[in-house]
Amino acid sequence: MTCITLLKIFVLMAFLESILAQGQPPYQPNWQSIDSRPLPGWYDDSKFGIFMHWGVYSVPSYGSEWFWRYWASNVKSYVDFMKQNYPPDFTYADFAKEFRTELFNASHFAEIVEASGARYYVLTTKHHEGYTMWPSRYSWNWNAMDVGPKRDLVGEIATAIRTLKTKVYFGLYHSLFAWYHPLYLQDEANNFQTRLYPQQISTPMLHELVENYHPEIIWSDGFEKTTGPEYWNSTGFLAWLYNSSPVRDIVVVNDRWGEGTVCHHGGYYTCHDRYNPGTLQNHKWENAMTVDKHSWGYRRNVKLADYLDAEELIASLAKTVSCGGNMLLNIGPTHDGRIVPIFEERLRQIGAWLKVNGEAIYGSHPWKAQNDTKTQNIWYTSQMNGTTVEAVYAIILKWPTNNHVFLGAPISSKLTTVSMLGVEPPLKWEMGPKGVGMNVTMPTLNPVQIPCQWAWVLKLCNIL
């Protein structure tokens, strides 16, 4: 064996040792490799995040954040709205000049997010309209620095979120495609056999966002039936993100990386908007939902009945977490940079509930039962110490009329204790028939003593 051969062997061994020292081999640009990456634990522990859809569509603020698409597709209500309120030669691009965000204060946004109890935050950096909320080199004259606010909105919010007293992870939404970008339209005309748009626009944008703002979440959006992950080079980007990017050890991603990836590939699954299956899933998932039942962006033609109330939102959170998911709750700021009072109220109401009941949510795990099947008004979570269940939490969505609640899933013992979060004395309880289930007497409280207005949480210790 020659000295050169020995040298090659030593170099190879040193390289392999360096890989092992890093704790994992580099990820390859294929789904088998990409999907093998463990999801960073902070995401599962966080449970609750805030989403914000904000962009040029916030100026007309009518109908939906898909305003441009519906108007261009001659949807009657949108066409009529434009005819009645704008001159015939008005274009969608003209709205950008009115997107001035003159009342926007990033610190105020961040304070509301913190008050909501959210542990992560996701901002739309570019929706399907293509307008970027940062001064992107790949969106000349169609970004927040060149037209409209004349400021880096992504950068301002990133700084504000990261200076909060409570740790809130910072995430960025990015739409892979843009409805009317010339290069995307050219690729579409070629049946997507060319890849001009991803090569020159979308992939460089993603690199720019990661390198400039170091997001801990990349919330990708793009599962058009005509464009698969090969067109977007999704696995190539994700391999770079996991191997070489400045956030490679902490970043998490979702599942929207082209046709066929949703609910099949990526870090956590979103499956579809407002996904809340009601049963335990075998892969980490997220319920991305909205306070406004019908729109992600702010709209002026909303009705009060279109808003979910705090009781409904907390019930969704309980169901989501019980089944192993996270809830990402969306609101839409206005074109001038405000979070309207009803959105702020909803977020602060959830935060007040979490201050009392957060131990049933943050860092929790699904229990052996997710709910009592006879009633969908009781949902369970648990806290673990290694493989041992330390406590089980029964989230009671409706206060029982007779002040007694039957928990069908727990198996109690003489050592079992029951308490209500936010209430000092332990509660009285009796073992159910044949040792299965528990009859719990809810506390008698005056209005001053009630720990929260909705969804009361019982803490059960020493049960099976």
Side-chain angles (χ1 to χ4, degrees):
M1 186 177 292
T2 66
C3 292
I4 294 176
T5 303
L6 284 171
L7 179 60
K8 289 181 178 178
I9 291 173
F10 286 136
V11 170
L12 178 60
M13 290 177 63
F15 174 71
L16 292 173
E17 287 176 358
S18 69
I19 290 176
L20 291 173
Q22 294 173 9
Q24 59 187 20
Y27 293 97
Q28 302 302 310
N30 61 71
W31 286 119
Q32 182 177 1
S33 179
I34 295 299
D35 291 343
S36 71
R37 178 181 182 260
L39 190 71
W42 71 261
Y43 177 78
D44 183 43
D45 289 342
S46 296
K47 303 302 182 188
F48 178 50
I50 298 300
F51 211 177
M52 285 189 188
H53 274 62
W54 197 26
V56 173
Y57 47 83
S58 305
V59 178
S61 55
Y62 176 87
S64 166
E65 72 287 350
W66 278 49
F67 183 94
W68 192 4
R69 187 68 159 186
Y70 293 146
W71 178 30
S73 301
N74 292 315
V75 175
K76 187 178 185 303
S77 60
Y78 292 79
V79 172
D80 291 346
F81 173 82
M82 292 303 298
K83 284 182 178 179
Q84 294 165 9
N85 296 286
Y86 296 91
D89 60 346
F90 195 92
T91 69
Y92 187 80
D94 292 327
F95 281 125
K97 293 177 286 187
E98 301 302 316
F99 184 57
R100 292 195 296 266
T101 70
E102 63 270 23
L103 300 179
F104 170 59
N105 182 300
S107 296
H108 182 58
F109 271 40
E111 188 276 325
I112 292 174
V113 170
E114 185 174 48
S116 76
R119 294 294 171 86
Y120 63 101
Y121 169 84
V122 179
L123 172 70
T124 52
T125 65
K126 178 184 81 74
H127 203 257
H128 313 325
E129 65 186 13
Y131 182 91
T132 67
M133 302 286 276
W134 80 101
S136 176
R137 291 174 291 171
Y138 308 99
S139 188
W140 178 81
N141 208 38
W142 193 233
N143 67 71
M145 187 63 76
D146 289 346
V147 57
K150 307 291 186 180
R151 55 204 292 192
D152 179 0
L153 300 175
V154 175
E156 290 184 38
I157 295 181
T159 298
I161 290 289
R162 285 172 169 147
T163 55
L164 290 173
K165 295 177 182 178
T166 302
K167 173 67 174 176
V168 176
Y169 291 90
F170 181 67
L172 298 178
Y173 164 107
H174 174 267
S175 171
L176 290 176
F177 62 98
W179 288 313
Y180 305 115
H181 193 285
L183 294 181
Y184 186 73
L185 293 176
Q186 188 173 338
D187 285 346
E188 186 176 43
N190 293 325
N191 293 317
F192 297 104
Q193 297 305 303
T194 55
R195 297 175 54 215
L196 300 175
Y197 182 76
Q199 290 174 345
Q200 298 182 37
I201 305 298
S202 65
T203 301
M205 272 186 181
L206 279 167
H207 281 267
E208 188 178 54
L209 283 170
V210 171
E211 290 165 352
N212 288 355
Y213 304 107
H214 296 189
E216 288 129 336
I217 299 173
I218 296 289
W219 212 101
S220 179
D221 202 4
F223 49 98
E224 294 282 86
K225 292 182 179 179
T226 52
T227 53
E230 298 80 12
Y231 171 76
W232 299 110
N233 189 29
S234 296
T235 55
F237 170 74
L238 292 171
W240 170 82
L241 185 70
Y242 291 169
N243 291 329
S244 307
S245 79
V247 291
R248 58 187 174 273
D249 296 325
I250 195 171
V251 71
V252 299
V253 305
N254 65 341
D255 56 347
R256 301 187 181 193
W257 296 97
E259 183 186 10
T261 63
V262 179
C263 228
H264 290 94
H265 297 296
Y268 60 88
Y269 295 167
T270 60
C271 297
H272 57 74
D273 294 348
R274 303 175 181 87
Y275 177 64
N276 195 356
T279 58
L280 185 63
Q281 302 298 296
N282 59 13
H283 192 283
K284 184 63 189 181
W285 61 280
E286 181 179 76
N287 175 12
M289 61 174 293
T290 54
V291 175
D292 179 345
K293 300 173 188 176
H294 306 295
S295 178
W296 297 80
Y298 173 72
R299 60 190 179 110
R300 291 174 291 162
N301 59 322
V302 66
K303 299 176 181 178
L304 181 62
D306 294 335
Y307 292 121
L308 294 171
D309 61 31
E311 183 175 16
E312 292 170 310
L313 294 170
I314 291 168
S316 288
L317 178 62
K319 295 174 185 178
T320 298
V321 173
S322 178
C323 296
N326 282 16
M327 189 171 91
L328 181 62
L329 181 64
N330 177 80
I331 63 169
T334 63
H335 76 282
D336 53 11
R338 293 174 295 118
I339 296 173
V340 294
I342 197 164
F343 284 152
E344 180 177 350
E345 179 187 52
R346 294 291 187 269
L347 299 191
R348 292 188 185 277
Q349 287 171 325
I350 296 172
W353 185 86
L354 283 167
K355 280 186 178 179
V356 175
N357 302 295
E359 72 173 88
I361 302 297
Y362 303 125
S364 67
H365 298 267
W367 191 45
K368 67 176 184 180
Q370 278 60 67
N371 57 52
D372 281 341
T373 54
K374 289 185 179 180
T375 170
Q376 295 291 299
N377 292 330
I378 301 171
W379 293 81
Y380 295 102
T381 65
S382 70
Q383 290 289 354
M384 306 285 291
N385 182 5
T387 58
T388 302
V389 176
E390 284 197 331
V392 171
Y393 301 87
I395 305 174
I396 315 296
L397 300 185
K398 299 291 183 183
W399 191 282
T401 55
N402 61 0
N403 230 41
H404 291 81
V405 62
F406 178 72
L407 307 179
I411 299 175
S412 58
S413 72
K414 293 180 180 180
L415 299 177
T416 297
T417 61
V418 182
S419 60
M420 176 179 285
L421 297 186
V423 176
E424 284 297 327
L427 304 185
K428 296 179 180 179
W429 64 274
E430 294 179 352
M431 189 177 293
K434 299 180 181 180
V436 177
M438 304 170 65
N439 285 298
V440 179
T441 302
M442 300 287 273
T444 302
L445 302 171
N446 62 48
V448 177
Q449 296 172 310
I450 295 174
C452 51
Q453 291 180 262
W454 316 276
W456 303 268
V457 180
L458 303 183
K459 182 178 181 178
L460 317 175
C461 296
N462 297 311
I463 65 167
L464 297 177

